[in-house]
Amino acid sequence: MARWIADAIPLIGWLKRHLERVFHHEISVWLHRLVLLAVSLVCVHFHAIRYIVTVTPFIVISDVATDGVDVDVLPPYGRYHRFLDERGLDDHGETRPIVVFAGGIGITPLLPIIFRYGYGRRPVKVMYCAHDEAGLLCCGQLEAWSRRTGNPLTLKVGRFTVGELQSAVTPGAIYLIAGPTGMTHAVKRTLRKTGVSVEDICHEPFAW
């Protein structure tokens, strides 16, 4: 069940929480795999039936992507690299600081950013929290990165306090946020209250 729908509609959110007690994450993953298989079979089915193939407009519409067509892959939206590129940040030439706030599996889309931009002269600060220790992913990699680069890394079980969030505010920085919807809203709200421009914040809900 789409997370953003569950967050937007309380009744669906309540239903999702109760269903999760029975249908665990592994079941959800297999359902998604079955959907992909079904879509693939439908595509093959379209092209195997002669009278459907002759309906050119239908085939053109169903074949959204063909050879040579540029396709943006956005997981879940994939805006972080684009967001940084739009602000003129490259790998080495720009020294504008980046502050990363991650919650739980929200660290996943931010790891490439941390490891790509967090070397050289650019300061990159990482604030990462989760509900429990098991939810803190890739800690070894992050700690090794922090030791090599000298960039600050804060790992915490439980949410960051307002004071901790405020202490991470860095003059002139760009802020990247990913995690559960409540966490992303709380971080963004704190940043805005401390005077950070909305133009310098990129956030995406990222949770099961």
Side-chain angles (χ1 to χ4, degrees), residues 185-207:
H185 287 342
V187 174
K188 185 179 178 182
R189 184 167 55 248
T190 301
L191 293 177
R192 296 291 292 123
K193 286 183 178 179
T194 57
V196 176
S197 169
V198 68
E199 297 297 322
D200 293 331
I201 302 172
C202 182
H203 67 100
E204 295 185 7
F206 199 97

Side-chain angles (χ1 to χ4, degrees), residues 7-207:
D7 289 332
I9 304 175
L11 178 60
I12 294 180
W14 175 86
L15 178 62
K16 179 178 183 292
R17 288 191 296 273
H18 282 73
L19 288 176
E20 283 175 342
R21 298 175 183 175
V22 179
F23 301 102
H24 299 293
H25 169 60
E26 291 78 8
I27 296 176
S28 176
V29 171
W30 277 105
L31 286 175
H32 281 80
R33 290 172 178 170
L34 288 174
V35 169
L36 288 174
L37 177 61
V39 170
S40 300
L41 291 175
V42 168
C43 184
V44 172
H45 181 70
F46 285 163
H47 290 78
I49 300 176
R50 181 173 299 177
Y51 70 83
I52 292 181
V53 175
T54 59
V55 184
T56 304
F58 178 81
I59 293 298
V60 170
I61 293 172
S62 63
D63 291 344
V64 176
T66 57
D67 290 343
V69 175
D70 292 333
V71 177
D72 281 337
V73 180
L74 309 176
Y77 302 112
R79 294 188 299 118
Y80 296 111
H81 282 290
R82 185 179 301 175
F83 181 84
L84 295 175
D85 289 342
E86 289 171 353
R87 280 147 186 80
L89 273 71
D90 57 27
D91 293 3
H92 304 291
E94 170 70 44
T95 59
R96 188 176 183 185
I98 296 175
V99 180
V100 171
F101 294 97
I105 64 167
I107 194 67
T108 308
L110 293 171
L111 284 173
I113 299 291
I114 295 168
F115 296 146
R116 175 181 174 183
Y117 291 89
Y119 288 93
R121 296 176 298 161
R122 183 193 310 283
V124 175
K125 183 181 298 183
V126 177
M127 305 282 287
Y128 180 27
C129 65
H131 290 301
D132 51 42
E133 287 191 18
L136 291 170
L137 310 177
C138 304
C139 290
Q141 291 175 268
L142 288 168
E143 288 169 342
W145 164 82
S146 180
R147 287 193 299 270
R148 285 196 303 269
T149 63
N151 283 314
L153 167 68
T154 303
L155 303 174
K156 182 179 180 180
V157 174
R159 285 194 179 184
F160 289 111
T161 65
V162 172
E164 289 170 329
L165 295 176
Q166 291 174 338
S167 69
V169 174
T170 304
I174 287 179
Y175 300 85
L176 308 179
I177 312 167
T181 303
M183 172 260 181
T184 59
H185 287 342
V187 174
K188 185 179 178 182
R189 184 167 55 248
T190 301
L191 293 177
R192 296 291 292 123
K193 286 183 178 179
T194 57
V196 176
S197 169
V198 68
E199 297 297 322
D200 293 331
I201 302 172
C202 182
H203 67 100
E204 295 185 7
F206 199 97

